[in-house]
Amino acid sequence: MRVWSYLFGVVFVCVAACATPDPPQATAPRAAPPAEVAARDATAAPSTPPPLEASAVDGGDATARGEAPDADAGEVREATEARSTPPPPLRPLHPRTAQPDDGAWRPVRPDPEGEAVLYETTLHPSPTNPYVTVSLVAVDLARVALRLVAGTREPVAPDVPALARAGLVPVADHAGLLAVANGGWRSEHGHFAMRVGPHRFDRPRPGRGEACTVGLDEKGRLVVAPWSELEPRETELAAWRQTPACLVRRGELHPSLVTETHTRRWGAAADGGVEIPRTALGVDRAGRYAIFALGDRTTAKALADAMLAAGARDAAELDINWSYTRFFLYTHGAGGGPRIVRSIGTKGQHPATSYVERRSERDFFYFVRRAP
């Protein structure tokens, strides 16, 4: 009898142990999904730090996910990565019009021997027209500085001396020159202000607080924000350029672009058409990459969608129309100065010495390799 009792006790303990569920397994935190841009069936100046308000990204803690947190507009952070790397691949906007290589960043090497610090890709922002394209360039700001130059005539400023508006990339930056991109609107088309160093080209006007402003610090780092938010820190910037209202602010489309897909608020052709060449400049969440976009026959809405898809947290529209939208890459021949080797998304013929020997009447941005 004692034997049976002992055996019964052993069986009971075994059954109880086997019935106990396994403890929950620790799982690695789920990687944040790539930024997605809602598919919407509508078509629709120089710089500094990153965005103006630190915030959680995608509802989580960026540091915990291994990502760089958002930077405030008044905060300038150094990038310390050992080498240049492209941004994450992009998701095509519309499967119906997307091409196989949409969103795949390709390294740009104007000089074959140089390190790639610029990356290009293409997106198709129209849900129905496969011929509408946006060319995108991501610039690694850990390796590249961004500068602003006044044109010989634009923006209009009679009191600024000619020496302060040479319309050329300074000779000191010729050796490291990588690219030149167009600046903002002509003065008569909006009267947007600009400053380079101590020289002001027009002044911010009352009621222009919403004017998007591209700001640059002394080290060529970038911030994009409404003027009302940058004005209190204006003296901290080496240069800035105003533009129409921000296309993208804190990762969101401008409210007018959500409700009006063919608005003329961001400019139009002489006949009133809004599907025109447009450019934009933005910065990603971490302030690591400047993002330049050149759209062919795009509305402001389509351009903003492409900038969002490219990872821009904040983005400003620059110049418009095919005569003024451009992005040139430069090479350096033996014994000669920099020359345009090719362009991205640019139409028309342009002398190879543009911006380095041939003066520009319009303001422009240029990208120069940082000293090691």
Side-chain angles (χ1 to χ4, degrees):
M1 190 66 179
R2 289 181 179 176
V3 173
W4 285 109
S5 298
Y6 172 78
L7 291 176
F8 177 81
V10 170
V11 171
F12 176 82
V13 170
C14 178
V15 171
C18 296
T20 303
D22 293 331
Q25 298 295 315
T27 57
R30 183 176 62 87
E36 296 183 15
V37 177
R40 299 179 178 88
D41 292 337
T43 53
S47 52
T48 299
L52 265 168
E53 193 173 78
S55 60
V57 182
D58 297 332
D61 181 82
T63 304
R65 294 197 308 275
E67 302 173 1
D70 287 358
D72 284 346
E75 177 190 353
V76 180
R77 302 193 296 104
E78 290 282 6
T80 58
E81 287 76 0
R83 62 186 178 85
S84 179
T85 57
L90 311 181
R91 179 169 298 184
L93 285 168
H94 304 287
R96 179 179 175 182
T97 56
Q99 299 300 305
D101 60 347
D102 274 13
W105 293 106
R106 303 178 297 278
V108 177
R109 286 187 176 87
D111 287 321
E113 301 302 320
E115 177 193 17
V117 291
L118 280 67
Y119 305 89
E120 64 176 311
T121 191
T122 303
L123 289 177
H124 291 74
S126 171
T128 57
N129 187 346
Y131 298 104
V132 177
T133 61
V134 173
S135 300
L136 294 159
V137 181
V139 181
D140 186 351
L141 294 176
R143 298 291 178 270
V144 180
L146 179 59
R147 309 290 187 202
L148 177 64
V149 175
T152 58
R153 295 190 178 183
E154 292 284 344
V156 174
D159 297 334
V160 175
L163 290 177
R165 52 187 318 149
L168 293 171
V169 174
V171 174
D173 282 337
H174 280 194
L177 181 63
L178 294 167
V180 166
N182 61 265
W185 290 12
R186 293 175 60 184
S187 292
E188 65 178 296
H189 299 151
H191 297 283
F192 294 111
M194 184 175 94
R195 178 173 66 76
V196 178
H199 303 289
R200 286 183 177 269
F201 301 79
D202 209 336
R203 290 184 176 275
R205 303 189 176 195
R208 288 288 186 187
E210 194 186 17
C212 204
T213 305
V214 178
L216 298 169
D217 76 345
E218 293 289 349
K219 295 187 177 181
R221 291 168 297 192
L222 172 66
V223 64
V224 178
W227 173 248
S228 59
E229 298 181 22
L230 284 188
E231 185 178 15
R233 298 185 175 97
E234 191 262 340
T235 57
E236 300 173 12
L237 304 179
W240 49 263
R241 206 337 175 163
Q242 289 186 324
T243 76
C246 293
L247 294 172
V248 177
R249 181 67 184 132
R250 297 189 180 98
E252 300 289 342
L253 289 178
H254 189 282
S256 292
L257 295 176
V258 176
T259 58
E260 298 181 67
T261 58
H262 283 69
T263 178
R264 299 182 186 179
R265 183 173 188 169
W266 286 268
D271 62 1
V274 294
E275 295 178 338
I276 57 176
R278 299 177 185 272
T279 55
L281 182 63
V283 63
D284 75 337
R285 289 181 179 274
R288 171 68 186 270
Y289 298 98
I291 302 170
F292 181 85
L294 197 161
D296 180 23
R297 294 184 294 171
T298 51
T299 60
K301 167 71 163 53
L303 190 66
D305 282 344
M307 290 297 280
L308 272 176
R313 183 182 190 265
D314 302 288
E317 183 186 70
L318 299 180
D319 216 346
I320 60 176
N321 293 319
W322 73 269
S323 298
Y324 308 117
T325 52
R326 56 195 61 176
F327 192 96
F328 295 130
L329 299 166
Y330 287 76
T331 190
H332 302 76
R339 298 289 186 272
I340 295 174
V341 63
R342 76 179 181 94
S343 65
I344 294 178
T346 307
K347 293 185 176 181
Q349 299 295 318
H350 302 274
T353 58
S354 296
Y355 300 102
V356 292
E357 294 179 10
R358 188 183 181 94
R359 300 177 188 275
S360 171
E361 294 185 351
R362 308 287 298 276
D363 58 290
F364 62 91
F365 293 96
Y366 71 92
F367 302 86
V368 61
R369 193 182 297 274
R370 295 184 186 275

